[in-house]
Amino acid sequence: QVQLVESGGGLVQAGGSLRLSCAASGSIFSINDMGWYRQAPGKQRELVATISRGGTTTYADSVKGRATISRVNARNTVYLQMNSLKPEDTAVYYCHAHIVRTLISDGVDYWGKGTLVTVSS
């Protein structure tokens, strides 16, 4: 059993900052890519940022320069620091991880249940 649990969402004013955390737990051998996605009301889920096990990062154009993704491999944890928040950043933010559960198994995609971020104008 593997779980991803997000935390850190909430209500913030435009221009503010917040930090999301996601911890993976359970039967885990290793974690490859980790990332954050978001889904605004009435819209499809979209990528926000990803980070490889080695620390290579990618960002959506909409958050470049305002977001920083990081991870602590020893803790199976990924973070998303968001600054200069805008009302259009309002969404449910989901954590994703590509997890290998045993030495001989393939990686599987896991998702958290999401944490709501609301940015007021």
Side-chain angles (χ1 to χ4, degrees), residues 10-121:
L11 176 64
V12 62
Q13 287 190 330
S17 300
L18 55 73
R19 187 191 196 208
L20 304 180
S21 302
C22 172
S25 63
S27 178
I28 298 172
F29 176 73
S30 68
I31 302 179
N32 298 322
D33 286 358
M34 301 185 82
W36 291 92
Y37 292 70
R38 67 186 182 186
Q39 188 166 17
K43 295 188 177 182
Q44 289 189 327
R45 189 175 298 190
E46 63 176 7
L47 179 146
V48 177
T50 66
I51 184 167
S52 71
R53 183 171 181 80
T56 301
T57 59
T58 61
Y59 294 94
D61 288 342
S62 58
V63 302
K64 277 181 182 175
R66 302 188 297 119
T68 302
I69 188 170
S70 60
R71 65 188 283 177
V72 178
N73 291 332
R75 297 179 182 175
N76 292 333
T77 301
V78 63
Y79 305 95
L80 182 69
Q81 176 71 40
M82 292 278 291
N83 301 321
S84 302
L85 284 161
K86 306 174 182 180
E88 50 263 44
D89 293 318
T90 295
V92 177
Y93 284 69
Y94 296 92
C95 174
H96 165 265
H98 191 73
I99 295 175
V100 179
R101 297 190 61 187
T102 71
L103 180 62
I104 59 172
S105 61
D106 293 328
V108 176
D109 290 321
Y110 289 88
W111 294 89
K113 293 183 179 180
T115 184
L116 177 62
V117 172
T118 303
V119 183
S120 63
S121 56

